[in-house]
Amino acid sequence: VFLPVEAIKTEIELSNQVYEGIVIEQQKEFEELKKINNLSSTLTEFDSITSLVITRNKMYWFNTLTINSGSKDGIVEDMAVISSDGLVGRITKVSLKTSEVKLITTSDINHKISVMIKNNDDTIYGILSGYNKEKECLEVTSINKINEIEKNSLVYTSGMGGIFPSGILIGSVEEIIEDKYNVSKVIYIKPSSNFNDLKFVKVLKRK
């Protein structure tokens, strides 16, 4: 059976597009892996374990993910997990070869993180207490209404609570509003990590 010339050309073009797509994706993954491995030089207090994201539940996309490292790699619960761009979450379940990561974007209201906002020369402390899917922002509460906070100020882990090391980037201030009782402020934070496209992460293990 001989295919018409136009059909052959179309098939070749589609094949080329598929091939180009694969190459682009592989290059993207290579650059991401290179970027995250370069973090080792700045994380001198930790041994870091580079891991691949292997599964993610579409129904709970912003709650958890599973990585291909487990107890055989020295991973235990409550270790901090980062991407090349900032904080991702913490280890909550560990098996021999895999671990579950609870993301900082989780809907779990009990998952709170102490944070610090670097506002010019001031450091303002608050609690990361939720994720707003409509705004695609993290919510930071317990901010005194008298504190003046500027948009784009950077937000980091404070180190309080003992789970997350101090100074891990979380994101930047996107919006500031007063709470419904008019006694404090709610700060919306644009995450520095892209939670829609996580392929590689690092698990931080104190030396």
Side-chain angles (χ1 to χ4, degrees):
V1 177
F2 294 96
L3 293 174
V5 173
E6 289 302 319
I8 293 173
K9 286 174 64 178
T10 301
E11 189 171 333
I12 291 172
E13 287 172 0
L14 287 172
S15 296
N16 287 339
Q17 288 172 3
V18 170
Y19 175 73
E20 288 173 6
I22 293 171
V23 171
I24 290 170
E25 189 62 25
Q26 286 179 338
Q27 182 64 27
K28 183 179 175 183
E29 290 183 4
F30 173 77
E31 292 299 327
E32 178 64 18
L33 188 57
K34 182 180 176 182
K35 189 176 176 184
I36 199 167
N37 281 334
N38 286 341
L39 285 174
S40 299
S41 60
T42 62
L43 299 168
T44 55
E45 296 179 41
F46 301 90
D47 287 325
S48 56
I49 304 161
T50 302
S51 304
L52 175 69
V53 177
I54 53 174
T55 60
R56 227 170 148 178
N57 190 323
K58 290 183 179 179
M59 294 291 292
Y60 303 98
W61 189 256
F62 291 103
N63 284 4
T64 61
L65 54 78
T66 303
I67 59 174
N68 69 338
S69 302
S71 58
K72 70 178 180 62
D73 306 291
I75 291 179
V76 297
E77 290 184 9
D78 286 337
M79 284 182 173
V81 181
I82 63 172
S83 72
S84 58
D85 297 310
L87 185 64
V88 167
R90 66 181 176 91
I91 300 292
T92 51
K93 291 181 182 178
V94 182
S95 65
L96 182 64
K97 296 182 179 180
T98 64
S99 299
E100 184 175 280
V101 179
K102 179 165 284 190
L103 304 175
I104 60 173
T105 52
T106 181
S107 56
D108 184 353
I109 59 173
N110 296 314
H111 189 69
K112 299 184 187 299
I113 302 169
S114 177
V115 303
M116 55 185 179
I117 303 169
K118 293 294 185 180
N119 191 57
N120 294 321
D121 294 329
D122 296 328
T123 300
I124 299 166
Y125 293 90
I127 302 295
L128 194 161
S129 54
Y131 180 69
N132 187 305
K133 290 183 180 178
E134 291 182 4
K135 293 179 180 288
E136 296 184 341
C137 285
L138 300 158
E139 294 182 4
V140 174
T141 57
S142 301
I143 303 289
N144 194 308
K145 65 179 292 184
I146 66 171
N147 290 128
E148 293 297 327
I149 298 172
E150 293 186 4
K151 186 176 178 180
N152 298 322
S153 296
L154 296 179
V155 183
Y156 301 87
T157 53
S158 72
M160 298 178 187
I163 293 178
F164 298 102
S166 176
I168 299 176
L169 180 64
I170 295 173
S172 58
V173 175
E174 182 76 10
E175 185 181 356
I176 306 105
I177 64 171
E178 291 188 357
D179 73 355
K180 61 183 179 180
Y181 303 110
N182 196 30
V183 295
S184 63
K185 290 179 178 178
V186 177
I187 312 297
Y188 289 102
I189 308 299
K190 196 72 175 176
S192 54
S193 293
N194 181 357
F195 285 87
N196 279 312
D197 190 26
L198 289 170
K199 290 186 174 65
F200 299 99
V201 296
K202 272 189 180 291
V203 184
L204 302 185
K205 180 181 177 184
R206 287 193 182 275
K207 293 181 178 179

